[in-house]
Amino acid sequence: TVTPSAAAGAGGFNTSNYTIQYFVYNGVCSGHTYTWNGSSSITWSTNTNWSPTGTPTSTDDVIIPSGTARAPTVTSSTSVNTLTFTGNNTITVNSGINLTINNGFAINSGVTAANVVFVGSSASTQVELNSSIFTNYGTFNVSGTGLIQVDNNGSYIFNSGTFTASGNTTLYLQG
């Protein structure tokens, strides 16, 4: 509803000078925050494992809390905007798969077991920080055969917590 502030005419509001249009969008806008709940399975790409329902994309922020029904497994290469461990949990990355984080990877204070596990024997399995800041205020553990790659396009590591790598994990800092 449009209500004129003065009578039409000199200095007034003339409705013929304006067009008001309304549009309804039934899709999903990018830039959402998705929280893992693991209610359906371990598969990262299953829509119902996330709240709100959907699968995060390269413009979305991801929260991995503690106390979920199941821990997430990345079964196909994917990108997210940010990834934050707000509680103790594990992300498993299957052999030959890449998880790319485009802006920020954080382990919150008080988190005592934020884990990334690389499954299989492929050295091409990786978590890539692309223009991303890795901030660790808790305890971050990475294990298995894989690569934590920190790209040289503005990415850096701020570690105020504990960072442990075991197995055949490689921390690769591009120079």
Side-chain angles (χ1 to χ4, degrees):
T1 303
V2 176
T3 305
S5 59
F13 182 83
N14 186 341
T15 58
S16 66
N17 292 333
Y18 301 93
T19 302
I20 298 176
Q21 297 178 326
Y22 296 95
F23 298 95
V24 176
Y25 178 68
N26 292 325
V28 175
C29 297
S30 64
H32 278 88
T33 298
Y34 287 94
T35 302
W36 175 262
N37 60 46
S39 62
S40 298
S41 69
I42 63 171
T43 306
W44 179 282
S45 60
T46 300
N47 290 344
T48 53
N49 284 327
W50 297 97
S51 180
T53 299
T55 302
T57 65
S58 63
T59 58
D60 296 320
D61 301 322
V62 168
I63 296 173
I64 307 295
S66 62
T68 61
R70 296 167 192 85
T73 298
V74 182
T75 57
S76 61
S77 293
T78 192
S79 295
V80 298
N81 184 49
T82 65
L83 191 147
T84 303
F85 277 92
T86 60
N88 298 339
N89 212 324
T90 299
I91 295 175
T92 300
V93 182
N94 279 356
S95 186
I97 301 300
N98 295 346
L99 172 59
T100 302
I101 303 164
N102 292 319
N103 264 321
F105 184 18
I107 313 302
N108 284 359
S109 177
V111 175
T112 58
N115 305 303
V116 169
V117 175
F118 296 120
V119 174
S121 59
S122 174
S124 66
T125 306
Q126 69 178 358
V127 171
E128 178 182 2
L129 304 179
N130 178 29
S131 296
S132 190
I133 301 165
F134 174 75
T135 308
N136 181 21
Y137 291 104
T139 301
F140 177 61
N141 305 300
V142 59
S143 62
T145 300
L147 181 71
I148 300 285
Q149 178 172 314
V150 181
D151 293 344
N152 65 353
N153 53 0
S155 297
Y156 66 89
I157 295 173
F158 176 79
N159 186 41
S160 181
T162 303
F163 184 134
T164 304
S166 61
N168 291 320
T169 300
T170 302
L171 176 60
Y172 177 65
L173 306 173
Q174 285 186 338

